[in-house]
Amino acid sequence: MSKLVNLTIDGRKLQAEEGKTVLAVARDNGIDIPTLCYNEELEPYGACRLCLVEVTKGTRTRLVTSCLYPVEEDLVVKTSTDRVITNRKMLMELLLARCQGVKSIEDMARKLGVDRPSFKPEYWEKDECILCGLCVRACAEVVGTSAISLVNRGVNREVAAPYLETANDCIGCGSCVYICPTKCIKMEDTEDTRTIVNWKASFKMQKCAKCGKNFAPEKQLAYFARKLNLPADTFNVCPDCR
Ligand code: FES
């Protein structure tokens, strides 16, 4: 069993497994910390920085991203000091200025007490992607295909397929679509084709051998049959008929 450490979060004395992050321990104990780029199934990445908290170790107090910071013995964590709240609001203003009209960002901003960015409106944008990297991590860590990645630097940073062309390694599973917090990755299903619009990738759908319904991209089913070492015809019938 892992070693337990004693720490304090918002005045509550807690015990937690060494190596867990401050965010995970806070959530295990019902303490809310806002996040946009965190998913417990994926490696934390520290992109949005909304999960900022103040930690004190010995005589030193500083701001850290709680999704990356591991708990340790005698750590004192405060999740909502004036300094934390001021910094979170500033980050939220930046996101709000970048993503005008994006509902999940507006909702989070309201929750954190930000109505509008304090920057001049000429600096506001209508970008929908917050570069949280959740889509890239889901594709690499859960699906295992790494069809997309974060490319370029600074203001040109974006998520894209190699050479900004069609994502040839995409299998059309839609994991990136489902996990995106701003819903900026578009997937279009027609009768027999699925298209992941952002990655310029289209897929023929598999027709169920029993009911005749198109239920998933052929490429996705072939990929999972191969990955799980199953016979190629394993997914010839849809989940309802299986
Ligand atoms: S949740 Fe920690 S940086 Fe985004």
Side-chain angles (χ1 to χ4, degrees):
M1 192 179 150
S2 329
K3 190 176 149 201
L4 294 177
V5 296
N6 298 289
L7 73 157
T8 308
I9 304 184
D10 290 346
R12 284 173 59 188
K13 290 191 183 320
L14 302 169
Q15 273 200 328
E17 275 175 36
E18 191 175 35
K20 271 194 155 188
T21 64
V22 168
L23 176 65
V25 174
R27 289 196 168 170
D28 287 350
N29 288 282
I31 299 166
D32 184 41
I33 297 176
T35 62
L36 275 172
C37 74
Y38 178 77
N39 182 296
E40 61 184 28
E41 302 300 327
L42 304 173
E43 283 296 316
Y45 179 58
C48 73
R49 309 198 79 76
L50 279 189
C51 67
L52 281 178
V53 295
E54 206 172 75
V55 295
T56 303
K57 218 170 102 181
T59 55
R60 187 172 178 216
T61 297
R62 62 197 172 119
L63 290 177
V64 299
T65 43
S66 62
C67 68
L68 291 170
Y69 199 88
V71 292
E72 53 192 312
E73 188 66 28
D74 292 334
L75 191 70
V76 177
V77 181
K78 292 183 181 164
T79 67
S80 48
T81 61
D82 288 348
R83 189 176 170 210
V84 167
I85 288 170
T86 304
N87 278 277
R88 268 198 207 132
K89 282 185 166 177
M90 174 56 73
L91 291 163
M92 209 57 243
E93 282 192 42
L94 289 166
L95 284 170
L96 203 52
R98 175 185 174 91
C99 300
Q100 280 293 295
V102 175
K103 183 160 180 329
S104 56
I105 299 301
E106 290 176 347
D107 289 348
M108 180 64 89
R110 244 188 318 275
K111 189 176 156 193
L112 298 183
V114 177
D115 295 328
R116 67 199 303 270
S118 52
F119 317 111
K120 291 181 184 157
E122 54 262 42
Y123 297 120
W124 299 0
E125 294 171 14
K126 285 192 179 298
D127 205 326
E128 292 183 306
C129 175
I130 57 169
L131 302 173
C132 67
L134 278 169
C135 54
V136 174
R137 282 176 283 153
C139 188
E141 295 172 29
V142 179
V143 186
T145 48
S146 297
I148 49 174
S149 57
L150 280 156
V151 299
N152 299 328
R153 288 171 187 273
V155 292
N156 296 321
R157 191 95 165 134
E158 63 177 317
V159 178
Y163 306 107
L164 309 184
E165 297 289 342
T166 303
N168 290 326
D169 290 335
C170 178
I171 57 170
C173 66
S175 301
C176 53
V177 178
Y178 302 121
I179 205 165
C180 175
T182 62
K183 302 294 164 223
C184 71
I185 304 171
K186 307 290 180 242
M187 179 165 82
E188 289 171 0
D189 280 353
T190 59
E191 176 59 19
D192 57 0
T193 306
R194 166 172 294 176
T195 302
I196 311 286
V197 179
N198 301 51
W199 322 136
K200 303 177 193 140
S202 289
F203 307 89
K204 189 166 181 293
M205 298 293 268
Q206 172 79 42
K207 195 185 273 294
C208 173
K210 277 196 182 162
C211 69
K213 186 176 72 183
N214 288 315
F215 65 98
E218 288 179 353
K219 189 173 176 185
Q220 176 188 350
L221 299 173
Y223 173 80
F224 283 117
R226 233 178 15 255
K227 192 168 172 173
L228 301 171
N229 216 5
L230 297 168
D233 62 356
T234 304
F235 300 115
N236 278 3
V237 290
C238 71
D240 293 342
C241 296
R242 203 164 294 148

Short mmCIF file of all heavy atoms in Angstrom, two decimals, residues 65-125:
data_model
loop_
_atom_site.label_atom_id
_atom_site.label_comp_id
_atom_site.label_asym_id
_atom_site.label_seq_id
_atom_site.Cartn_x
_atom_site.Cartn_y
_atom_site.Cartn_z
N THR A 65 -0.12 24.89 -9.97
CA THR A 65 -1.28 24.27 -10.63
C THR A 65 -1.56 22.95 -9.91
O THR A 65 -0.72 22.05 -9.87
CB THR A 65 -0.98 23.98 -12.11
OG1 THR A 65 0.33 23.45 -12.23
CG2 THR A 65 -1.10 25.22 -12.95
N SER A 66 -2.75 22.86 -9.32
CA SER A 66 -3.05 21.71 -8.45
C SER A 66 -3.16 20.40 -9.21
O SER A 66 -3.02 19.33 -8.63
CB SER A 66 -4.33 21.97 -7.65
OG SER A 66 -5.43 22.12 -8.52
N CYS A 67 -3.41 20.44 -10.52
CA CYS A 67 -3.53 19.19 -11.28
C CYS A 67 -2.17 18.54 -11.49
O CYS A 67 -2.09 17.37 -11.86
CB CYS A 67 -4.23 19.42 -12.62
SG CYS A 67 -3.28 20.39 -13.80
N LEU A 68 -1.10 19.30 -11.28
CA LEU A 68 0.26 18.75 -11.47
C LEU A 68 1.03 18.60 -10.16
O LEU A 68 2.02 17.89 -10.11
CB LEU A 68 1.07 19.67 -12.40
CG LEU A 68 0.65 19.73 -13.86
CD1 LEU A 68 1.37 20.87 -14.57
CD2 LEU A 68 0.94 18.42 -14.55
N TYR A 69 0.57 19.28 -9.12
CA TYR A 69 1.37 19.35 -7.90
C TYR A 69 1.06 18.17 -6.97
O TYR A 69 -0.09 17.99 -6.55
CB TYR A 69 1.10 20.68 -7.19
CG TYR A 69 2.16 21.06 -6.20
CD1 TYR A 69 3.26 21.80 -6.60
CD2 TYR A 69 2.08 20.66 -4.87
CE1 TYR A 69 4.26 22.13 -5.70
CE2 TYR A 69 3.07 20.98 -3.96
CZ TYR A 69 4.15 21.73 -4.39
OH TYR A 69 5.14 22.05 -3.49
N PRO A 70 2.07 17.37 -6.61
CA PRO A 70 1.80 16.22 -5.73
C PRO A 70 1.70 16.62 -4.26
O PRO A 70 2.39 17.53 -3.82
CB PRO A 70 3.02 15.31 -5.97
CG PRO A 70 4.10 16.22 -6.43
CD PRO A 70 3.47 17.44 -7.06
N VAL A 71 0.83 15.91 -3.55
CA VAL A 71 0.72 16.17 -2.11
C VAL A 71 1.98 15.69 -1.41
O VAL A 71 2.67 14.81 -1.89
CB VAL A 71 -0.51 15.46 -1.49
CG1 VAL A 71 -1.79 16.05 -2.00
CG2 VAL A 71 -0.47 13.95 -1.74
N GLU A 72 2.27 16.32 -0.29
CA GLU A 72 3.41 15.87 0.51
C GLU A 72 3.16 16.19 1.98
O GLU A 72 2.22 16.92 2.32
CB GLU A 72 4.72 16.50 0.02
CG GLU A 72 4.68 17.99 -0.07
CD GLU A 72 5.88 18.53 -0.84
OE1 GLU A 72 7.01 18.13 -0.53
OE2 GLU A 72 5.67 19.37 -1.72
N GLU A 73 3.97 15.59 2.83
CA GLU A 73 3.79 15.72 4.27
C GLU A 73 3.79 17.20 4.70
O GLU A 73 4.65 17.97 4.27
CB GLU A 73 4.92 14.94 4.99
CG GLU A 73 4.77 14.80 6.49
CD GLU A 73 3.56 13.94 6.90
OE1 GLU A 73 3.17 13.06 6.13
OE2 GLU A 73 3.03 14.19 8.00
N ASP A 74 2.82 17.55 5.51
CA ASP A 74 2.71 18.89 6.11
C ASP A 74 2.43 20.02 5.11
O ASP A 74 2.62 21.19 5.43
CB ASP A 74 3.98 19.25 6.92
CG ASP A 74 4.10 18.39 8.16
OD1 ASP A 74 3.04 17.91 8.65
OD2 ASP A 74 5.23 18.16 8.63
N LEU A 75 2.02 19.68 3.91
CA LEU A 75 1.69 20.72 2.93
C LEU A 75 0.42 21.44 3.38
O LEU A 75 -0.53 20.81 3.84
CB LEU A 75 1.45 20.07 1.57
CG LEU A 75 1.36 21.00 0.37
CD1 LEU A 75 2.73 21.62 0.08
CD2 LEU A 75 0.88 20.25 -0.86
N VAL A 76 0.42 22.75 3.25
CA VAL A 76 -0.79 23.53 3.56
C VAL A 76 -1.29 24.13 2.25
O VAL A 76 -0.57 24.84 1.55
CB VAL A 76 -0.48 24.65 4.59
CG1 VAL A 76 -1.71 25.50 4.84
CG2 VAL A 76 0.02 24.03 5.89
N VAL A 77 -2.54 23.81 1.90
CA VAL A 77 -3.10 24.25 0.62
C VAL A 77 -4.30 25.16 0.90
O VAL A 77 -5.13 24.86 1.74
CB VAL A 77 -3.60 23.03 -0.20
CG1 VAL A 77 -4.16 23.49 -1.54
CG2 VAL A 77 -2.49 22.00 -0.39
N LYS A 78 -4.35 26.26 0.17
CA LYS A 78 -5.53 27.14 0.24
C LYS A 78 -6.05 27.32 -1.18
O LYS A 78 -5.29 27.71 -2.07
CB LYS A 78 -5.17 28.48 0.88
CG LYS A 78 -4.82 28.31 2.35
CD LYS A 78 -4.52 29.63 3.02
CE LYS A 78 -4.15 29.40 4.50
NZ LYS A 78 -3.51 30.56 5.08
N THR A 79 -7.32 27.02 -1.37
CA THR A 79 -7.85 26.99 -2.74
C THR A 79 -8.52 28.30 -3.16
O THR A 79 -8.85 28.46 -4.32
CB THR A 79 -8.87 25.85 -2.92
OG1 THR A 79 -10.02 26.14 -2.12
CG2 THR A 79 -8.29 24.51 -2.53
N SER A 80 -8.76 29.20 -2.20
CA SER A 80 -9.48 30.41 -2.62
C SER A 80 -9.04 31.66 -1.85
O SER A 80 -9.87 32.41 -1.36
CB SER A 80 -10.99 30.20 -2.51
OG SER A 80 -11.30 29.64 -1.25
N THR A 81 -7.74 31.87 -1.76
CA THR A 81 -7.25 33.12 -1.17
C THR A 81 -7.48 34.26 -2.18
O THR A 81 -7.76 34.01 -3.36
CB THR A 81 -5.74 33.03 -0.89
OG1 THR A 81 -5.09 32.81 -2.14
CG2 THR A 81 -5.41 31.90 0.06
N ASP A 82 -7.33 35.50 -1.74
CA ASP A 82 -7.49 36.65 -2.65
C ASP A 82 -6.54 36.52 -3.84
O ASP A 82 -6.89 36.82 -4.98
CB ASP A 82 -7.17 37.96 -1.91
CG ASP A 82 -8.29 38.30 -0.92
OD1 ASP A 82 -9.36 37.65 -0.99
OD2 ASP A 82 -8.07 39.19 -0.07
N ARG A 83 -5.31 36.07 -3.55
CA ARG A 83 -4.31 35.95 -4.63
C ARG A 83 -4.74 34.90 -5.65
O ARG A 83 -4.62 35.10 -6.86
CB ARG A 83 -2.98 35.55 -3.97
CG ARG A 83 -1.80 35.59 -4.89
CD ARG A 83 -0.57 35.27 -4.05
NE ARG A 83 0.61 35.05 -4.84
CZ ARG A 83 1.60 34.24 -4.47
NH1 ARG A 83 1.52 33.57 -3.34
NH2 ARG A 83 2.65 34.10 -5.23
N VAL A 84 -5.27 33.77 -5.17
CA VAL A 84 -5.75 32.71 -6.08
C VAL A 84 -6.89 33.25 -6.93
O VAL A 84 -6.91 33.09 -8.16
CB VAL A 84 -6.20 31.47 -5.27
CG1 VAL A 84 -6.98 30.50 -6.15
CG2 VAL A 84 -5.00 30.78 -4.64
N ILE A 85 -7.84 33.89 -6.25
CA ILE A 85 -9.04 34.36 -6.97
C ILE A 85 -8.67 35.42 -8.00
O ILE A 85 -9.14 35.39 -9.14
CB ILE A 85 -10.09 34.87 -5.96
CG1 ILE A 85 -10.67 33.65 -5.23
CG2 ILE A 85 -11.21 35.64 -6.65
CD1 ILE A 85 -11.53 33.96 -4.05
N THR A 86 -7.79 36.34 -7.64
CA THR A 86 -7.38 37.39 -8.59
C THR A 86 -6.71 36.78 -9.82
O THR A 86 -7.00 37.15 -10.96
CB THR A 86 -6.38 38.36 -7.89
OG1 THR A 86 -7.00 38.86 -6.73
CG2 THR A 86 -5.99 39.50 -8.80
N ASN A 87 -5.84 35.81 -9.60
CA ASN A 87 -5.14 35.18 -10.73
C ASN A 87 -6.09 34.36 -11.59
O ASN A 87 -6.01 34.39 -12.81
CB ASN A 87 -3.99 34.31 -10.21
CG ASN A 87 -2.75 35.14 -9.93
OD1 ASN A 87 -1.98 35.44 -10.82
ND2 ASN A 87 -2.61 35.56 -8.68
N ARG A 88 -6.99 33.63 -10.94
CA ARG A 88 -7.97 32.84 -11.71
C ARG A 88 -8.84 33.75 -12.58
O ARG A 88 -9.11 33.45 -13.73
CB ARG A 88 -8.88 32.06 -10.77
CG ARG A 88 -8.37 30.70 -10.47
CD ARG A 88 -9.49 29.84 -9.90
NE ARG A 88 -8.87 28.83 -9.07
CZ ARG A 88 -9.26 28.51 -7.84
NH1 ARG A 88 -10.29 29.13 -7.30
NH2 ARG A 88 -8.64 27.58 -7.17
N LYS A 89 -9.24 34.88 -11.99
CA LYS A 89 -10.09 35.81 -12.76
C LYS A 89 -9.33 36.36 -13.95
O LYS A 89 -9.90 36.51 -15.04
CB LYS A 89 -10.58 36.95 -11.86
CG LYS A 89 -11.73 36.55 -10.95
CD LYS A 89 -12.23 37.76 -10.19
CE LYS A 89 -13.56 37.50 -9.55
NZ LYS A 89 -14.04 38.62 -8.76
N MET A 90 -8.07 36.66 -13.78
CA MET A 90 -7.27 37.18 -14.89
C MET A 90 -7.16 36.12 -16.01
O MET A 90 -7.33 36.43 -17.19
CB MET A 90 -5.88 37.57 -14.37
CG MET A 90 -4.90 37.99 -15.44
SD MET A 90 -5.50 39.34 -16.46
CE MET A 90 -5.38 40.71 -15.31
N LEU A 91 -6.91 34.88 -15.61
CA LEU A 91 -6.84 33.80 -16.60
C LEU A 91 -8.18 33.66 -17.33
O LEU A 91 -8.23 33.46 -18.55
CB LEU A 91 -6.49 32.47 -15.92
CG LEU A 91 -5.06 32.39 -15.38
CD1 LEU A 91 -4.93 31.25 -14.38
CD2 LEU A 91 -4.08 32.20 -16.53
N MET A 92 -9.24 33.78 -16.56
CA MET A 92 -10.58 33.63 -17.15
C MET A 92 -10.87 34.78 -18.11
O MET A 92 -11.48 34.60 -19.16
CB MET A 92 -11.60 33.59 -16.01
CG MET A 92 -12.84 32.83 -16.28
SD MET A 92 -12.62 31.11 -16.72
CE MET A 92 -13.30 31.08 -18.37
N GLU A 93 -10.39 35.98 -17.76
CA GLU A 93 -10.57 37.12 -18.67
C GLU A 93 -9.85 36.87 -19.99
O GLU A 93 -10.36 37.19 -21.07
CB GLU A 93 -10.03 38.40 -18.03
CG GLU A 93 -10.95 38.99 -17.00
CD GLU A 93 -10.52 40.40 -16.61
OE1 GLU A 93 -10.14 41.16 -17.51
OE2 GLU A 93 -10.55 40.70 -15.42
N LEU A 94 -8.65 36.31 -19.90
CA LEU A 94 -7.89 36.01 -21.14
C LEU A 94 -8.64 34.99 -22.00
O LEU A 94 -8.75 35.15 -23.21
CB LEU A 94 -6.49 35.47 -20.78
CG LEU A 94 -5.53 36.50 -20.19
CD1 LEU A 94 -4.34 35.80 -19.56
CD2 LEU A 94 -5.05 37.46 -21.28
N LEU A 95 -9.17 33.95 -21.34
CA LEU A 95 -9.91 32.92 -22.10
C LEU A 95 -11.18 33.50 -22.70
O LEU A 95 -11.54 33.21 -23.83
CB LEU A 95 -10.26 31.75 -21.18
CG LEU A 95 -9.12 30.79 -20.85
CD1 LEU A 95 -9.53 29.82 -19.75
CD2 LEU A 95 -8.70 30.02 -22.09
N LEU A 96 -11.83 34.35 -21.92
CA LEU A 96 -13.09 34.94 -22.39
C LEU A 96 -12.82 35.88 -23.57
O LEU A 96 -13.59 35.93 -24.54
CB LEU A 96 -13.72 35.72 -21.23
CG LEU A 96 -15.21 35.98 -21.28
CD1 LEU A 96 -16.01 34.71 -21.51
CD2 LEU A 96 -15.66 36.64 -19.98
N ALA A 97 -11.71 36.60 -23.51
CA ALA A 97 -11.36 37.50 -24.62
C ALA A 97 -11.03 36.68 -25.87
O ALA A 97 -11.34 37.09 -26.99
CB ALA A 97 -10.17 38.37 -24.24
N ARG A 98 -10.43 35.52 -25.69
CA ARG A 98 -10.07 34.67 -26.83
C ARG A 98 -11.30 34.00 -27.44
O ARG A 98 -11.38 33.82 -28.64
CB ARG A 98 -9.09 33.59 -26.34
CG ARG A 98 -8.71 32.56 -27.38
CD ARG A 98 -7.84 31.48 -26.76
NE ARG A 98 -7.59 30.40 -27.71
CZ ARG A 98 -6.57 30.35 -28.53
NH1 ARG A 98 -5.67 31.30 -28.53
NH2 ARG A 98 -6.42 29.33 -29.36
N CYS A 99 -12.23 33.61 -26.57
CA CYS A 99 -13.33 32.74 -27.01
C CYS A 99 -14.69 33.42 -26.85
O CYS A 99 -15.57 32.88 -26.16
CB CYS A 99 -13.32 31.45 -26.21
SG CYS A 99 -11.83 30.51 -26.37
N GLN A 100 -14.88 34.56 -27.45
CA GLN A 100 -16.17 35.22 -27.39
C GLN A 100 -17.26 34.33 -27.94
O GLN A 100 -17.12 33.77 -29.04
CB GLN A 100 -16.11 36.52 -28.21
CG GLN A 100 -15.45 37.67 -27.47
CD GLN A 100 -16.26 38.12 -26.29
OE1 GLN A 100 -17.36 38.62 -26.45
NE2 GLN A 100 -15.73 37.93 -25.09
N GLY A 101 -18.35 34.17 -27.19
CA GLY A 101 -19.49 33.40 -27.68
C GLY A 101 -19.40 31.90 -27.43
O GLY A 101 -20.28 31.15 -27.84
N VAL A 102 -18.34 31.43 -26.77
CA VAL A 102 -18.24 29.99 -26.48
C VAL A 102 -18.89 29.73 -25.12
O VAL A 102 -18.43 30.21 -24.08
CB VAL A 102 -16.76 29.52 -26.48
CG1 VAL A 102 -16.66 28.07 -26.06
CG2 VAL A 102 -16.15 29.73 -27.86
N LYS A 103 -19.97 28.94 -25.15
CA LYS A 103 -20.82 28.82 -23.96
C LYS A 103 -20.09 28.27 -22.73
O LYS A 103 -20.24 28.80 -21.63
CB LYS A 103 -22.04 27.94 -24.31
CG LYS A 103 -22.99 27.83 -23.15
CD LYS A 103 -24.36 27.41 -23.53
CE LYS A 103 -25.30 27.33 -22.33
NZ LYS A 103 -24.73 26.97 -21.06
N SER A 104 -19.30 27.20 -22.91
CA SER A 104 -18.66 26.60 -21.73
C SER A 104 -17.69 27.58 -21.08
O SER A 104 -17.53 27.58 -19.85
CB SER A 104 -17.95 25.30 -22.11
OG SER A 104 -17.01 25.54 -23.14
N ILE A 105 -17.07 28.43 -21.90
CA ILE A 105 -16.13 29.41 -21.34
C ILE A 105 -16.92 30.53 -20.64
O ILE A 105 -16.56 30.97 -19.55
CB ILE A 105 -15.24 30.00 -22.47
CG1 ILE A 105 -14.42 28.88 -23.12
CG2 ILE A 105 -14.32 31.10 -21.94
CD1 ILE A 105 -13.52 28.13 -22.19
N GLU A 106 -18.00 30.94 -21.26
CA GLU A 106 -18.83 31.98 -20.62
C GLU A 106 -19.41 31.48 -19.30
O GLU A 106 -19.47 32.21 -18.32
CB GLU A 106 -19.94 32.42 -21.58
CG GLU A 106 -19.39 33.20 -22.76
CD GLU A 106 -20.44 33.57 -23.79
OE1 GLU A 106 -21.57 33.02 -23.75
OE2 GLU A 106 -20.13 34.41 -24.64
N ASP A 107 -19.83 30.20 -19.29
CA ASP A 107 -20.38 29.63 -18.04
C ASP A 107 -19.33 29.60 -16.94
O ASP A 107 -19.60 29.95 -15.79
CB ASP A 107 -20.89 28.20 -18.29
CG ASP A 107 -22.16 28.19 -19.13
OD1 ASP A 107 -22.75 29.28 -19.31
OD2 ASP A 107 -22.55 27.10 -19.61
N MET A 108 -18.12 29.15 -17.31
CA MET A 108 -17.05 29.08 -16.32
C MET A 108 -16.68 30.48 -15.83
O MET A 108 -16.45 30.70 -14.63
CB MET A 108 -15.83 28.38 -16.92
CG MET A 108 -14.65 28.24 -15.99
SD MET A 108 -14.97 27.19 -14.56
CE MET A 108 -14.51 25.59 -15.22
N ALA A 109 -16.66 31.45 -16.74
CA ALA A 109 -16.32 32.83 -16.36
C ALA A 109 -17.35 33.36 -15.35
O ALA A 109 -16.98 33.94 -14.33
CB ALA A 109 -16.30 33.71 -17.61
N ARG A 110 -18.62 33.11 -15.65
CA ARG A 110 -19.68 33.57 -14.73
C ARG A 110 -19.49 32.94 -13.36
O ARG A 110 -19.58 33.60 -12.33
CB ARG A 110 -21.04 33.20 -15.29
CG ARG A 110 -21.90 34.44 -15.63
CD ARG A 110 -23.31 34.11 -15.99
NE ARG A 110 -23.46 32.98 -16.86
CZ ARG A 110 -23.38 33.04 -18.19
NH1 ARG A 110 -23.14 34.17 -18.78
NH2 ARG A 110 -23.53 31.96 -18.92
N LYS A 111 -19.20 31.63 -13.37
CA LYS A 111 -19.01 30.90 -12.10
C LYS A 111 -17.86 31.52 -11.28
O LYS A 111 -17.90 31.54 -10.06
CB LYS A 111 -18.71 29.44 -12.43
CG LYS A 111 -18.69 28.51 -11.25
CD LYS A 111 -18.48 27.08 -11.68
CE LYS A 111 -17.90 26.27 -10.55
NZ LYS A 111 -17.39 24.98 -10.93
N LEU A 112 -16.86 32.04 -11.99
CA LEU A 112 -15.70 32.61 -11.29
C LEU A 112 -15.84 34.13 -11.09
O LEU A 112 -14.90 34.81 -10.71
CB LEU A 112 -14.41 32.30 -12.06
CG LEU A 112 -14.08 30.81 -12.20
CD1 LEU A 112 -12.77 30.62 -12.92
CD2 LEU A 112 -14.02 30.12 -10.84
N GLY A 113 -17.02 34.67 -11.42
CA GLY A 113 -17.28 36.08 -11.15
C GLY A 113 -16.75 37.03 -12.21
O GLY A 113 -16.49 38.20 -11.93
N VAL A 114 -16.57 36.53 -13.44
CA VAL A 114 -16.09 37.40 -14.52
C VAL A 114 -17.20 37.57 -15.55
O VAL A 114 -17.67 36.57 -16.13
CB VAL A 114 -14.84 36.78 -15.21
CG1 VAL A 114 -14.39 37.64 -16.39
CG2 VAL A 114 -13.72 36.61 -14.20
N ASP A 115 -17.65 38.79 -15.78
CA ASP A 115 -18.73 39.03 -16.76
C ASP A 115 -18.18 39.30 -18.15
O ASP A 115 -18.74 38.89 -19.14
CB ASP A 115 -19.57 40.25 -16.35
CG ASP A 115 -20.30 39.98 -15.06
OD1 ASP A 115 -20.64 38.80 -14.85
OD2 ASP A 115 -20.49 40.91 -14.27
N ARG A 116 -17.10 40.06 -18.20
CA ARG A 116 -16.51 40.40 -19.49
C ARG A 116 -15.03 40.69 -19.30
O ARG A 116 -14.61 41.07 -18.19
CB ARG A 116 -17.24 41.60 -20.12
CG ARG A 116 -17.06 42.89 -19.37
CD ARG A 116 -18.11 43.93 -19.71
NE ARG A 116 -18.21 44.27 -21.10
CZ ARG A 116 -17.52 45.25 -21.69
NH1 ARG A 116 -16.63 45.94 -21.02
NH2 ARG A 116 -17.72 45.53 -22.97
N PRO A 117 -14.24 40.53 -20.37
CA PRO A 117 -12.81 40.83 -20.22
C PRO A 117 -12.61 42.32 -20.01
O PRO A 117 -13.38 43.13 -20.54
CB PRO A 117 -12.22 40.40 -21.57
CG PRO A 117 -13.28 39.66 -22.28
CD PRO A 117 -14.59 40.08 -21.72
N SER A 118 -11.58 42.70 -19.26
CA SER A 118 -11.33 44.13 -19.07
C SER A 118 -10.48 44.70 -20.20
O SER A 118 -10.23 45.89 -20.25
CB SER A 118 -10.67 44.37 -17.71
OG SER A 118 -9.55 43.55 -17.59
N PHE A 119 -10.04 43.83 -21.15
CA PHE A 119 -9.25 44.34 -22.28
C PHE A 119 -10.17 45.03 -23.28
O PHE A 119 -11.36 44.77 -23.32
CB PHE A 119 -8.54 43.19 -23.00
CG PHE A 119 -7.92 42.20 -22.08
CD1 PHE A 119 -8.44 40.92 -21.97
CD2 PHE A 119 -6.84 42.56 -21.28
CE1 PHE A 119 -7.90 40.01 -21.09
CE2 PHE A 119 -6.29 41.64 -20.41
CZ PHE A 119 -6.81 40.37 -20.31
N LYS A 120 -9.57 45.91 -24.10
CA LYS A 120 -10.37 46.61 -25.10
C LYS A 120 -10.99 45.60 -26.07
O LYS A 120 -10.32 44.62 -26.46
CB LYS A 120 -9.48 47.56 -25.90
CG LYS A 120 -8.98 48.72 -25.10
CD LYS A 120 -8.13 49.60 -25.99
CE LYS A 120 -7.52 50.72 -25.18
NZ LYS A 120 -6.33 51.27 -25.80
N PRO A 121 -12.24 45.82 -26.51
CA PRO A 121 -12.91 44.86 -27.39
C PRO A 121 -12.15 44.55 -28.68
O PRO A 121 -12.31 43.47 -29.23
CB PRO A 121 -14.24 45.54 -27.71
CG PRO A 121 -14.48 46.43 -26.53
CD PRO A 121 -13.14 46.90 -26.08
N GLU A 122 -11.27 45.47 -29.13
CA GLU A 122 -10.53 45.14 -30.37
C GLU A 122 -9.57 43.96 -30.16
O GLU A 122 -9.07 43.39 -31.13
CB GLU A 122 -9.80 46.35 -30.96
CG GLU A 122 -8.86 47.09 -30.04
CD GLU A 122 -9.51 48.34 -29.44
OE1 GLU A 122 -10.69 48.26 -29.05
OE2 GLU A 122 -8.82 49.37 -29.37
N TYR A 123 -9.31 43.61 -28.89
CA TYR A 123 -8.44 42.46 -28.64
C TYR A 123 -9.24 41.16 -28.44
O TYR A 123 -8.68 40.11 -28.21
CB TYR A 123 -7.56 42.71 -27.41
CG TYR A 123 -6.62 43.88 -27.59
CD1 TYR A 123 -6.67 44.98 -26.75
CD2 TYR A 123 -5.70 43.88 -28.63
CE1 TYR A 123 -5.83 46.06 -26.93
CE2 TYR A 123 -4.84 44.95 -28.82
CZ TYR A 123 -4.93 46.05 -27.97
OH TYR A 123 -4.09 47.11 -28.16
N TRP A 124 -10.56 41.26 -28.46
CA TRP A 124 -11.37 40.06 -28.27
C TRP A 124 -11.37 39.25 -29.56
O TRP A 124 -11.30 39.81 -30.67
CB TRP A 124 -12.82 40.41 -27.89
CG TRP A 124 -12.94 41.19 -26.61
CD1 TRP A 124 -11.92 41.60 -25.79
CD2 TRP A 124 -14.15 41.67 -26.01
NE1 TRP A 124 -12.41 42.31 -24.72
CE2 TRP A 124 -13.78 42.37 -24.83
CE3 TRP A 124 -15.49 41.57 -26.34
CZ2 TRP A 124 -14.71 42.95 -23.99
CZ3 TRP A 124 -16.42 42.17 -25.50
CH2 TRP A 124 -16.04 42.85 -24.34
N GLU A 125 -11.49 37.94 -29.42
CA GLU A 125 -11.49 37.07 -30.60
C GLU A 125 -12.65 36.09 -30.52
O GLU A 125 -13.28 35.94 -29.48
CB GLU A 125 -10.18 36.28 -30.67
CG GLU A 125 -8.96 37.14 -30.92
CD GLU A 125 -7.67 36.35 -30.77
OE1 GLU A 125 -7.73 35.11 -30.73
OE2 GLU A 125 -6.62 36.99 -30.66
#
